[in-house]
Amino acid sequence: MEQTISFPVEGMSCASCAARLEKVLDRLDGVQASVNFATTRAQVSLSDGHAGMVDVLAAVRQAGFAPTTRNLDLSLSGLSCASCVGRVEKVLNALPSVQASVNLATERAHVTFVPGVVEVPALIAAVEKAGYGARVYEEQNAQDDARAQQRVWQRALWEFALATILSLPFVGQMVIMMAGLPMMDMPRMLQLMLAGVVLFGCGRGLFRAAWHAVRGGSANMDVLVVMGTGVAWVFSAAVTLMKLDQPVYFEASALVVTLVLLGRLLEARAKASAGAGMASLLRLQPRMAHVERPGGVVDESVDQLAIGDVFVVRPGESMPVDGAVLEGASEVNEAMLTGESNLVAKTAGAEVFAGTLNQTGALRVRATKVGAQTVLASIVQMVQQAQGSKASVQRLADKVSAVFVPAVLALAVLTFAGTWLATGSATVSLVHGVSVLVIACPCALGLATPTAIMVGTGLGARAGILFRNADALEQARRLNLLVTDKTGTLTRGQPGVVASQTAEGIQSDDFLRLACALEQNSEHPLARAVMEHARAAGIAPVAVEDFKAVPGQGVSARVGGQVVRLGSPDFLSQNGCVVDTALVQAWQAEGRTVIGVAREQAVLGYLALADEIRPEARAAITALRARGLRVVMLTGDNERAAQAVAHQVGIDEVVAGVLPDGKAAEITRLKGASLCVGMVGDGINDAPALASADVSFAIGAGADVALETADVVLVRSDLMAVVDAITLSHATVGKIRQNLFFAFIYNLLGLPLAALGALNPVLAGAAMAMSSVSVVSNSLLLNRWKPVRREAVNATPKV
C-alpha cells in the first residue's frame, strides 16, 4: 500500500535547492518525491516495508534543510500520576516528527510537529487511545477552563462528602475497638453495601481511569489503588456471601478510597494555588475597552481592537492593549511589568502597556499592539512556555516513574506470595499485598518538579524576571562567572551631565541658563542631556538671536547683544577663548566628554558628560560577588572608558575593545575553563555572546534580538534583577530537591513497611494520599521568597 504525504520545508533559496532535495529523497528505498520551490513543500510517496517518514525527515535535515514545525499545547484530562505523563509522552512521541513534553501540574502537553506529516486530530486521537482526554488549549478558553475545573471540583467534593458519610460507621467501629469498649459488630451485609457504594459509586472515577490505563497498555496509580481496594472488597464480599469464618476488610477498601478522594481534593486545591501566579497574569487584561467610533465612545470587547484604534482609559481602569498616549496626564502602576509598585507619570507621547493600572487621570490612547503582540501576552506566553518545559533534574524522576508501577505490582505479588509461604494465611497475605499497592506514591514523583517550577516562574514573572524555560531557572544557581556588557547594561546607555565647574564670579544658574538656551533647539544626545540637567535644576532658557551651528564642534548665538558659544574645548580655543587644559584633560582621562560655554572670549564654565551608571549597578555587583560569583566586564568600548566604569561599579576584570563576534569567542573561552558562565547584555551586538553563554540575561529595555536570544529577560531593566534571578533559582531548586526527597522517602520507607505488615491498608492509603499534598504544599512555601529590597540600592554614582 502506498502512502502520500505533503509537508512544508524551510531553507530553500532557489529552484536548484528544490531539485537537490528531491534528488536526495528519491535515493531512499521506496520513496518517490516531488519538491515544489514555489510552495516550499515536499510531497513524498512511501511504499510499505521501505523507508518511513522518520527516514524522510532525517534526509531533509541531512540535505541542509528543515521541515517546518508547528508548536501546539493540548489540554489533557484524566492524568493522575507520573506514569500517566510517561504514557502520554510515549504515545505522542511515537508519531512521526512529534516531540512532546507533558506537565502533570498544568495538565498540558506541549507538542512540536511537522504539519502534513501529523495533524492535530491524530495527536488527539493518540492521547484518547491511551485512555486520556485531550483538546487544543486556547488562551481565550481560560475562563471556560476555570468553570470546568470548578464543576469537577464540586463533583469531587460531593463524592468525597458522600464517601466520608458512608465511611463514618467503619471509623466508629475502629475507634470503639481500639478503645477496648464493648461493641456489636456491624452486619456484614451492611458493610458490603456501604463499602460497595463508596468503592464503585464515589470511587467510580478511579475505576474509569484505571480501565483506560489498562486498555491503553499501561498501569498508573489508579490501577494500584483499584487493585488494592478492589481485591480487599471482592475477598470480603466472597467471605460474606459464602458465610465463611474469615475476617473481612470492607473498612480498608472504603477508607482507602475516601482518603484517596481527600488527597485528590487537597492536591487539586494546592495545584490551583501553585498556578495562581499564572492566573493573576491572565486576569490583568480587562475584557472591555472604551473605543472611539464615528458615533462616539462605545464599549467593545478587547478582542475587537485593532492597531490604530483610539480608546479611553479612565482612572482606576486597566489598559486593554499596548498603546501611545494622545491626550491626558496620569500616573500608571506598572508593577505587573516591573515588579515595582512606583507610579509612572504618563503624558502625551508616552507608552502604556496592557494590564497596567491607570491611577489618577483619564488618558486617550492609540493602540500600537493588540492580541498576542502586547507585552502582557508575551509575558504570559513566556511563563507558560517555562512552566510547560522540563528541568534536567526531572529526568531522574521520569526514569523512576517509567518502571515504578510495574515494580510495585511485582512487589505486591511477591509480598502476597512470600507472606503466604511464611504465615500460611491468605488473609494476612492479602492485607500485606493491598498495603503495598495503596502506599505507592507515583503522584508525588510526578509533581515534585513541575509544581516548584510553576511557583518559581510565577514569582519571577511578578518580580519582572521571565525565565524562557525550566532549564534556565534550574541552571542560574550554578553560575560561578558572570560576564556583563557596559553600555546599556551597567550604564543607562545615554549621556548625562555628571559634573560641572564655573569660572570665578560666575553663578551656576546663569551659566546653565546660557547653556540650555544654546541647546534648546538641538536633538543631539548631548544637547538633550544638558537640557535635562537644566530642567532638573529648575532653570529656564533665555531667548537667543543669530543662532549658528558648526557641525561636530559647537554652536554660537547672540544673547543681550553679546556672542555666546557652546562646544568642545577645541571649538572654544579656535574662537580665541583660553581653556583650562588641566581640567579638560583630567575629565577626559576619566572617559568624560567635555563641553564649555563662553561669552565673547571669556569661558564661563564647563560641563562633563558621560553615560550614567545605573543607580543599582554597584550594589548589584557587590551582591553578586558576595554570592561567590566572579564578575567580568566585556565591552567594545575603549580601555580608558571601560576602566572608568569598572572602577565605579567595583569590577576588577575588564576586557575592552571587543567586537561582537569576539564577545562570543571570549564567552566560549571562559566556558572552556570548566566554568558555568552567565552573560548580561542588552544590544544587538550582545546577541552572539548571549547565545554562547550557559545562562543569558537580557535587560528588558534592550534590542528585540537580545530579548529573543536570552534565557532570562529582566523586564524592569534593573541589574538587581540578576541577583533576584539567581536567588530564585537557588530557592526553586532547593524546593525541587526537597520534593524529590519527600517523594522518594515515602516510597523507600513505606513500601518495605507495607510489605512487612507494619502498615495496614488504611494507614497506607492515608500516607499515599498525603504524599502528593505534602509535595505540592512544600512547593507553595516558595512564595516566601522575596526580591531584594530596592531601598538598599545606593544613590546613582557618576562616571
Side-chain angles (χ1 to χ4, degrees):
M1 182 178 176
E2 191 172 80
Q3 182 184 16
T4 301
I5 296 173
S6 173
F7 59 93
V9 178
E10 296 176 349
M12 293 189 293
S13 58
C14 61
S16 62
C17 294
R20 179 162 63 89
L21 178 58
E22 190 174 300
K23 186 177 180 181
V24 168
L25 294 177
D26 282 336
R27 289 180 191 149
L28 297 175
D29 187 24
V31 175
Q32 287 187 330
S34 174
V35 181
N36 190 319
F37 172 63
T39 61
T40 65
R41 295 185 73 87
Q43 181 172 299
V44 294
S45 298
L46 308 175
S47 301
D48 285 347
H50 297 280
M53 275 308 301
V54 174
D55 303 308
V56 170
L57 296 176
V60 171
R61 294 186 179 97
Q62 265 189 341
F65 306 102
T68 303
T69 58
R70 178 186 170 190
N71 293 314
L72 178 75
D73 279 0
L74 294 178
S75 183
L76 305 175
S77 59
L79 302 181
S80 61
C81 67
S83 299
C84 300
V85 170
R87 176 65 182 163
V88 174
E89 285 184 349
K90 184 176 180 181
V91 297
L92 286 174
N93 289 326
L95 298 173
S97 82
V98 174
Q99 290 182 324
S101 175
V102 177
N103 188 310
L104 176 61
T106 58
E107 295 188 328
R108 288 213 297 270
H110 183 71
V111 186
T112 302
F113 63 99
V114 177
V117 177
V118 173
E119 297 298 345
V120 175
L123 298 172
I124 294 175
V127 175
E128 292 176 342
K129 188 176 179 182
Y132 306 95
R135 64 181 177 82
V136 176
Y137 175 81
E138 295 179 0
E139 198 60 66
Q140 56 264 35
N141 290 338
Q143 286 192 335
D144 294 337
D145 287 343
R147 283 192 290 268
Q149 288 174 0
Q150 185 64 24
R151 287 193 296 269
V152 170
W153 164 263
Q154 289 174 346
R155 184 170 64 249
L157 184 60
W158 279 109
E159 289 175 347
F160 166 68
L162 179 59
T164 301
I165 293 170
L166 297 177
S167 299
L168 283 176
F170 295 111
V171 175
Q173 184 174 267
M174 291 173 64
V175 170
I176 292 172
M177 183 179 65
M178 292 172 65
L181 300 174
M183 60 169 289
M184 184 177 66
D185 286 341
M186 193 190 315
R188 288 191 172 184
M189 284 302 296
L190 178 60
Q191 293 186 50
L192 184 150
M193 288 189 296
L194 290 176
V197 174
V198 172
L199 196 61
F200 304 109
C202 303
R204 65 185 182 278
L206 300 173
F207 280 82
R208 190 185 305 116
W211 166 245
H212 286 317
V214 171
R215 190 183 66 180
S218 66
N220 59 11
M221 192 198 76
D222 297 309
V223 173
L224 299 180
V225 173
V226 164
M227 283 188 66
T229 57
V231 167
W233 188 89
V234 169
F235 173 82
S236 302
V239 168
T240 300
L241 295 174
M242 297 173 66
K243 299 182 179 179
L244 301 176
D245 187 18
Q246 295 285 343
V248 293
Y249 300 98
F250 289 119
E251 76 282 354
S253 58
L255 290 173
V256 165
V257 168
T258 302
L259 288 167
V260 170
L261 293 176
L262 172 62
R264 291 281 174 89
L265 275 177
L266 296 175
E267 179 187 315
R269 182 54 59 104
K271 283 164 66 177
S273 299
M278 191 71 242
S280 64
L281 284 177
L282 294 171
R283 287 194 297 267
L284 288 173
Q285 188 172 27
R287 310 294 295 178
M288 304 296 291
H290 313 304
V291 189
E292 291 186 0
R293 298 300 183 199
V297 176
V298 297
D299 288 348
E300 291 184 0
S301 170
V302 171
D303 297 335
Q304 297 178 356
L305 275 174
I307 293 175
D309 284 347
V310 177
F311 57 90
V312 177
V313 185
R314 297 160 186 158
E317 295 179 340
S318 295
M319 305 293 168
V321 295
D322 293 1
V325 177
L326 298 177
E327 292 179 17
S330 183
E331 292 181 317
V332 175
N333 186 335
E334 295 185 344
M336 52 77 62
L337 283 179
T338 64
E340 299 292 328
S341 57
N342 297 333
L343 299 182
V344 181
K346 301 291 181 180
T347 55
E351 281 187 298
V352 293
F353 306 98
T356 56
L357 182 62
N358 184 30
Q359 296 279 25
T360 52
L363 295 174
R364 186 167 170 263
V365 185
R366 184 183 302 280
T368 56
K369 293 181 180 179
V370 299
Q373 301 172 330
T374 65
V375 171
L376 176 61
S378 301
I379 291 174
V380 170
Q381 182 181 10
M382 192 174 292
V383 174
Q384 286 178 337
Q385 180 180 330
Q387 291 185 345
S389 62
K390 286 190 177 183
S392 57
V393 73
Q394 193 173 344
R395 292 171 192 152
L396 174 61
D398 288 346
K399 288 177 182 178
V400 172
S401 300
V403 297
F404 186 83
V405 175
V408 170
L409 290 171
L411 179 60
V413 172
L414 289 173
T415 299
F416 179 82
T419 307
W420 199 350
L421 287 173
T423 64
S425 171
T427 55
V428 174
S429 305
L430 177 68
V431 172
H432 290 194
V434 169
S435 296
V436 168
L437 289 172
V438 298
I439 189 99
C441 310
C443 261
L445 284 173
L447 291 169
T449 300
T451 52
I453 294 294
M454 283 176 66
V455 177
T457 51
L459 285 170
R462 289 201 293 272
I465 305 165
L466 302 181
F467 293 92
R468 194 170 297 281
N469 51 55
D471 265 336
L473 179 57
E474 181 192 359
Q475 295 300 317
R477 81 185 213 290
R478 296 180 55 245
L479 293 176
N480 45 34
L481 188 149
L482 186 71
V483 177
T484 175
D485 179 43
K486 180 180 77 70
T487 306
T489 303
L490 292 170
T491 66
R492 293 184 182 277
Q494 56 190 23
V497 175
V498 295
S500 65
Q501 181 168 314
T502 57
E504 188 176 347
I506 303 298
Q507 296 293 323
S508 60
D509 286 0
D510 295 337
F511 165 67
L512 278 178
R513 193 170 290 110
L514 289 175
C516 66
L518 290 166
E519 296 282 40
Q520 62 184 320
N521 296 317
S522 174
E523 289 300 317
H524 192 279
L526 296 181
R528 289 199 298 269
V530 172
M531 291 299 298
E532 186 63 35
H533 182 66
R535 272 195 294 268
I539 303 298
V542 296
V544 299
E545 299 174 343
D546 299 333
F547 180 85
K548 295 177 184 178
V550 181
Q553 295 189 53
V555 295
S556 65
R558 286 188 175 275
V559 176
Q562 293 181 304
V563 176
V564 181
R565 296 181 179 86
L566 179 149
S568 66
D570 287 343
F571 173 68
L572 298 183
S573 296
Q574 291 167 10
N575 284 277
C577 301
V578 179
V579 174
D580 187 343
T581 307
L583 175 66
V584 170
Q585 290 179 347
W587 278 358
Q588 288 179 340
E590 295 176 0
R592 300 173 175 180
T593 299
V594 182
I595 59 175
V597 177
R599 185 162 47 204
E600 298 298 347
Q601 270 68 49
V603 177
L604 305 180
Y606 304 89
L607 293 171
L609 296 97
D611 189 358
E612 289 186 291
I613 292 173
R614 290 183 180 274
E616 78 287 352
R618 187 174 187 86
I621 298 302
T622 302
L624 289 167
R625 295 181 68 171
R627 297 193 66 85
L629 271 76
R630 174 182 158 200
V631 183
V632 177
M633 180 198 292
L634 187 63
T635 178
D637 211 341
N638 64 73
E639 182 74 23
R640 186 177 64 182
Q643 288 291 352
V645 172
H647 175 71
Q648 289 294 315
V649 300
I651 294 177
D652 299 327
E653 297 182 65
V654 176
V655 182
V658 184
L659 297 176
D661 56 347
K663 288 187 177 183
E666 186 67 18
I667 295 289
T668 303
R669 183 187 68 80
L670 292 169
K671 286 170 63 178
S674 300
L675 296 171
C676 185
V677 179
M679 169 73 189
V680 190
D682 78 314
I684 292 175
N685 63 332
D686 296 325
L690 290 170
S692 300
D694 293 306
V695 182
S696 51
F697 303 84
I699 294 290
D704 289 344
V705 67
L707 302 183
E708 288 298 319
T709 306
D711 299 311
V712 186
V713 175
L714 311 176
V715 179
R716 64 174 180 250
S717 296
D718 185 339
L719 272 177
M720 288 302 294
V722 177
V723 182
D724 290 337
I726 293 172
T727 60
L728 180 57
S729 172
H730 277 276
T732 304
V733 173
K735 283 300 171 194
I736 290 173
R737 287 175 171 172
Q738 292 170 16
N739 288 346
L740 289 173
F741 171 79
F742 289 145
F744 281 116
I745 206 70
Y746 266 112
N747 292 294
L748 290 175
L749 295 180
L751 287 171
L753 290 173
L756 294 171
L759 290 176
N760 67 44
V762 175
L763 289 176
M768 182 274 295
M770 293 310 297
S771 65
S772 299
V773 177
S774 64
V775 162
V776 180
S777 300
N778 188 54
S779 293
L780 291 175
L781 292 178
L782 254 181
N783 285 303
R784 295 183 299 182
W785 175 87
K786 301 294 180 188
V788 176
R789 290 174 62 87
R790 283 335 184 244
E791 297 91 290
V793 178
N794 297 329
T796 308
K798 305 294 184 180
V799 177

